[in-house]
Amino acid sequence: FPAVFCNCVYCKEARKRGGKNIRTRCQAMINDDLMLDLPADTYLHALKENLELDKLKFLLITHHHQDHFYPEELGMHASWFAKDLREPNLTIVLTKDAYDFYMEKEGNVIADNIACTLNFIVAEAFKDITLGDYVITPLPARHMWGRAECFMYIIKHGGKTILYAQDTGYFFESVFEYFEKSPVKFDFVSYDCTNIDIPAGDEDSHMDFRQINRVRERLTKLGCIDKNTVEYVNHFSHNANPAHEELVENAKQYGLEVSYDGLELEI
């Protein structure tokens, strides 16, 4: 946001204000070795935020929409492009649909000097994956209207637990049932807030503030979050007029914080 070709009043205002109103595609990094999603803006993020991507060990892909997964970038991990890596091997966790998408882009053949640096794990919902000192649990996300599997992720590390919920609509009942059967307490949650104040239905693939609050009520009842949980909203559409300053005031009504490009948090 602003959108690439858009000249609506909201996009023009964002360009005029600049600063935190200029939002690149959604991505997050934990410590310096685990990344969430690989959009086309990854290179820009590395330059702007001084990310040392040669130290990256693990990559979690939520789904294969182009604003979250730009698979061509993985070719830059090949030996002729990436030299003297401090971490020469990259493990990628993703859905079967995202893996098939990547393979299709590669013509179903991965060049040897790329394949030797990448390790793919096609994950299953609700099944834990151990990656070094991390424990990862993929959860089904309500997105793409059932045309492809999409994930949210629980990430546990160093006694801390976070929930990364981008892109998703109102959580599936199976997710709430999982939390009930496998109790978990989150130190940090990042919620999809694409719609902001545009009403989202229970079957929609993104959330508004109202839906987020309903999710929070369920999570509170299940003991997953409490007043000590740090909660942020992220992933905003220009259609919902998300000027940062106004968005911050809106989020305060719900006790939520608003993310922005370059945000750093210590949990």
Side-chain angles (χ1 to χ4, degrees), residues 83-96:
K83 302 182 183 301
D84 300 324
L85 300 182
R86 280 170 283 186
E87 289 295 338
N89 298 305
L90 177 61
T91 296
I92 304 166
V93 177
L94 69 180
T95 67
K96 177 65 162 58

Side-chain angles (χ1 to χ4, degrees), residues 2 24 30 58 64-65 71 78 81 105 162 194 200 215 237 239 251:
T24 56
I30 298 175
F58 312 115
H64 69 264
H65 273 164
F81 289 121
K105 292 287 186 180
I162 75 169
T194 302
V215 167
S237 166
N239 293 312

Side-chain angles (χ1 to χ4, degrees), residues 88-213:
N89 298 305
L90 177 61
T91 296
I92 304 166
V93 177
L94 69 180
T95 67
K96 177 65 162 58
D97 294 294
Y99 178 73
D100 290 344
F101 177 71
Y102 169 71
M103 291 300 295
E104 182 180 352
K105 292 287 186 180
E106 292 295 312
N108 293 309
V109 178
I110 306 176
D112 290 343
N113 64 338
I114 299 175
C116 68
T117 74
L118 303 178
N119 174 39
F120 289 93
I121 297 177
V122 176
E124 296 182 47
F126 305 116
K127 291 193 175 182
D128 291 350
I129 301 169
T130 299
L131 301 175
D133 295 330
Y134 297 94
V135 177
I136 311 298
T137 308
L139 303 175
R142 191 189 297 272
H143 195 59
M144 296 181 72
W145 292 280
R147 291 192 294 268
E149 189 175 28
C150 307
F151 285 153
M152 305 181 285
Y153 287 103
I154 299 173
I155 302 166
K156 297 179 181 178
H157 181 269
K160 301 292 184 178
T161 303
I162 75 169
L163 174 63
Y164 189 77
Q166 317 289 331
D167 295 6
T168 186
Y170 185 74
F171 292 6
F172 286 118
E173 282 302 313
S174 61
V175 172
F176 292 122
E177 290 170 2
Y178 173 83
F179 291 148
E180 186 172 11
K181 294 175 181 176
S182 304
V184 59
K185 167 65 173 61
F186 295 119
D187 298 284
F188 173 83
V189 182
S190 177
Y191 300 101
D192 176 283
C193 193
T194 302
N195 284 43
I196 304 180
D197 288 324
I198 298 175
D202 283 0
E203 300 301 320
D204 286 346
S205 61
H206 291 289
M207 291 194 288
D208 60 11
F209 275 120
R210 182 181 62 88
Q211 294 287 44
I212 292 171
N213 219 37

Side-chain angles (χ1 to χ4, degrees), residues 9-22:
V9 62
Y10 303 145
C11 287
K12 286 192 287 188
E13 181 66 16
R15 294 185 183 104
K16 178 181 177 181
R17 294 191 190 192
K20 294 176 182 178
N21 291 286
I22 304 301

Side-chain angles (χ1 to χ4, degrees), residues 223-238:
C224 297
I225 62 173
D226 60 22
K227 61 182 178 63
N228 296 314
T229 303
V230 179
E231 299 175 274
Y232 270 75
V233 290
N234 193 22
H235 201 284
F236 311 107
S237 166
H238 70 117

